[in-house]
Amino acid sequence: MLLIASEKSKRSRAVSNIVRELSLSLTIFASPATFAELMGGRARRIVLLTEADISDSIVDSLRNADPGTEYGVIVAADRDSPKDSTIIGALEHLAQLDNVEWIDPAFDYGSLSEAARNCRRRMLRVSRDDLEESLHERRFFVQYQPKVERSSTAEWRTREAEALVRWRHPEHGQVGPLEFLPEMEEFGLMGRLTDFVLDESAAQLVRWKLKGIELSICINLASSQLSDKQLVARCEEIVGRFRLPCSTFTFEVAEQNLADPDAPHLETLANLRAKGFRLCLDGFRVTAASLASLERLPFDEVKIQASAIAHAKNDPVKLKVLAAIIGLAHNLGMTVCAEGIEDMETFEFLKTIQCDKMQGFLISEAVMPKLLRKVYGPGSKSERVA
């Protein structure tokens, strides 16, 4: 689920805390035109508008959104007496939306948190009982998306795969994560789901090893879980039960949730790394703030956003910045993975700037374990990419 906010709102500590604790993806708009683009598609989203953001164009984008789009709106403005009297009409139109929350213009964490949770609850599609029953009956399953990695011989080999959870719903068939992860967050079930994915992945690694396949696994870690003081112990216990080294697993954590270097949840990351787990900074963006976080946070790898790669391909300046970031990561002892690779042109481009790993539909979509074993097993042609 997205949180859409303007650059001005992004600077608020309350916003960064909400993004982390609700495991939202923060997306910034700088103009009404950008906002209109972000309202396209059908992903569930929460929109945060300050009084300075409100205009007829913004309201029109909300009112004209695709009928299948689900969203909530948090308005940080004085509904009755705004400082800018020209937006009174726009405020009246906002009040007519189905899922809108009003908070004080000088909002704090508490008011923003309550409003965001209220918006999210109105968009929930699945009941807690449904999810708990499916966890108990093990109706969730894991698919694996391979990555390729540059080897010492300049060949690219499959040595790692990302574990991606799916739901085999008794009525609706296979359901993707975007359809149920917001509910998992809302009902406090993300810890149980991550335990399940880690347990399944560890068992699968053992099965692959018996077939001669040596792989490592990447698992997405919801930011809200970083406040769980038992997380590290549970992860160590699950992996230890299968007699696997912790270094076999990499936890991926979203970048926008780690902006504050003094935040308590960073202790959890440090403790995971101390146990031997690898950490990946997911969704890395080519910005000054990203560079600062790269230098001070305890990560082994960075995963670069597909959009940053696309921009660098067509902009000489951004290309130099991206190449410099990869060089900096290497100097700090980190590997670099590029996501969303869908064509050979991008693959060849990334080879020239020394990217270490690649992932995307060009390599493989997420597949079931048996298919991965068949295609990427010892001696198979797909084990290597020239």
Side-chain angles (χ1 to χ4, degrees):
M1 185 178 288
L2 302 177
L3 174 65
I4 301 176
S6 66
E7 182 65 36
K8 181 179 179 181
S9 297
K10 176 190 174 184
R11 300 189 192 106
S12 167
R13 183 180 291 269
V15 171
S16 62
N17 286 339
I18 292 300
V19 164
R20 175 174 59 83
E21 294 186 15
L22 299 188
S23 291
L24 303 173
S25 294
L26 179 61
T27 305
I28 302 302
F29 69 91
S31 68
T34 306
F35 180 77
E37 292 178 8
L38 294 173
M39 286 304 297
R42 298 190 171 219
R44 288 183 277 185
R45 67 208 73 188
I46 298 171
V47 177
L48 172 62
L49 300 175
T50 65
E51 190 169 303
D53 303 322
I54 297 169
S55 66
D56 291 336
S57 297
I58 293 290
V59 174
D60 286 344
S61 294
L62 291 168
R63 298 172 75 185
N64 298 328
D66 187 295
T69 300
E70 293 182 75
Y71 65 87
V73 182
I74 302 171
V75 185
D78 189 328
R79 182 175 178 179
D80 300 315
S81 303
K83 292 181 180 179
D84 183 356
S85 61
T86 64
I87 66 170
I88 291 177
L91 289 173
E92 291 176 352
H93 288 306
L94 284 174
Q96 296 169 11
L97 298 176
D98 292 332
N99 188 0
V100 61
E101 291 284 321
W102 299 84
I103 59 177
D104 191 271
F107 62 85
D108 58 11
Y109 165 77
S111 59
L112 181 60
S113 174
E114 182 179 4
R117 291 175 190 277
N118 288 340
C119 283
R120 187 171 69 176
R121 288 189 190 106
R122 296 188 189 105
M123 290 186 281
L124 298 182
R125 305 165 183 166
V126 182
S127 72
R128 183 186 188 114
D129 288 345
D130 246 359
L131 293 174
E132 289 191 325
E133 180 182 350
S134 292
L135 281 167
H136 183 264
E137 298 296 330
R138 300 183 76 83
R139 291 176 184 153
F140 293 95
F141 65 98
V142 180
Q143 291 184 319
Y144 300 88
Q145 185 174 32
K147 297 180 182 180
V148 290
E149 179 177 347
R150 187 194 302 269
S151 70
S152 58
T153 61
E155 290 182 326
W156 291 76
R157 296 179 178 271
T158 304
R159 294 174 174 166
E160 193 173 27
E162 183 175 356
L164 299 168
V165 67
R166 306 288 187 260
W167 185 11
R168 193 174 285 109
H169 195 281
E171 296 178 12
H172 306 302
Q174 182 170 323
V175 177
L178 294 180
E179 300 300 313
F180 62 83
L181 287 184
E183 284 81 359
M184 285 286 187
E185 285 282 355
E186 178 65 25
F187 302 133
L189 299 174
M190 284 301 296
R192 287 177 59 184
L193 183 65
T194 298
D195 290 354
F196 168 81
V197 173
L198 183 57
D199 186 271
E200 284 287 299
S201 300
Q204 187 58 58
L205 284 182
V206 172
R207 289 192 287 268
W208 278 331
K209 190 170 184 177
L210 292 174
K211 298 293 184 179
I213 303 174
E214 296 281 352
L215 290 176
S216 298
I217 291 292
C218 299
I219 295 175
N220 291 289
L221 193 62
S223 299
S224 59
Q225 294 177 259
L226 299 180
S227 300
D228 181 356
K229 297 187 181 300
Q230 302 303 316
L231 174 68
V232 178
R234 286 204 315 276
C235 291
E236 185 181 28
E237 186 276 326
I238 291 171
V239 171
R241 201 183 328 130
F242 292 92
R243 299 183 179 180
L244 294 169
C246 294
S247 57
T248 309
F249 295 88
T250 299
F251 287 112
E252 298 189 0
V253 184
E255 179 197 354
Q256 67 264 10
N257 300 316
L258 301 165
D260 180 3
D262 299 317
H265 62 281
L266 293 182
E267 181 181 351
T268 301
L269 292 177
N271 289 338
L272 282 168
R273 201 164 186 242
K275 294 295 183 182
F277 293 102
R278 298 183 76 251
L279 299 177
C280 174
L281 184 59
D282 196 8
F284 186 80
R285 295 163 291 180
V286 184
T287 64
S290 294
L291 283 172
S293 63
L294 188 66
E295 291 183 277
R296 66 183 179 233
L297 294 174
F299 286 91
D300 302 281
E301 183 168 309
V302 293
K303 181 183 278 190
I304 300 176
Q305 282 185 337
S307 59
I309 296 165
H311 292 153
K313 283 173 59 180
N314 302 310
D315 187 319
V317 175
K318 290 180 180 178
L319 170 59
K320 291 178 181 178
V321 172
L322 180 58
I325 286 174
I326 291 176
L328 174 61
H330 289 163
N331 288 335
L332 293 172
M334 302 179 188
T335 53
V336 179
C337 178
E339 64 178 350
I341 310 306
E342 299 183 354
D343 56 76
M344 282 302 300
E345 180 186 0
T346 304
F347 185 88
E348 294 296 331
F349 162 73
L350 288 164
K351 285 169 64 176
T352 65
I353 55 175
Q354 303 301 308
C355 188
D356 303 297
K357 301 178 184 179
M358 299 193 211
Q359 178 182 19
F361 287 164
L362 177 69
I363 313 302
S364 173
E365 61 182 344
V367 298
M368 296 300 290
K370 287 184 179 179
L371 180 58
L372 192 147
R373 187 183 75 192
K374 179 180 179 180
V375 176
Y376 294 93
S380 67
K381 292 182 180 179
S382 297
E383 187 189 19
R384 298 182 298 276
V385 178

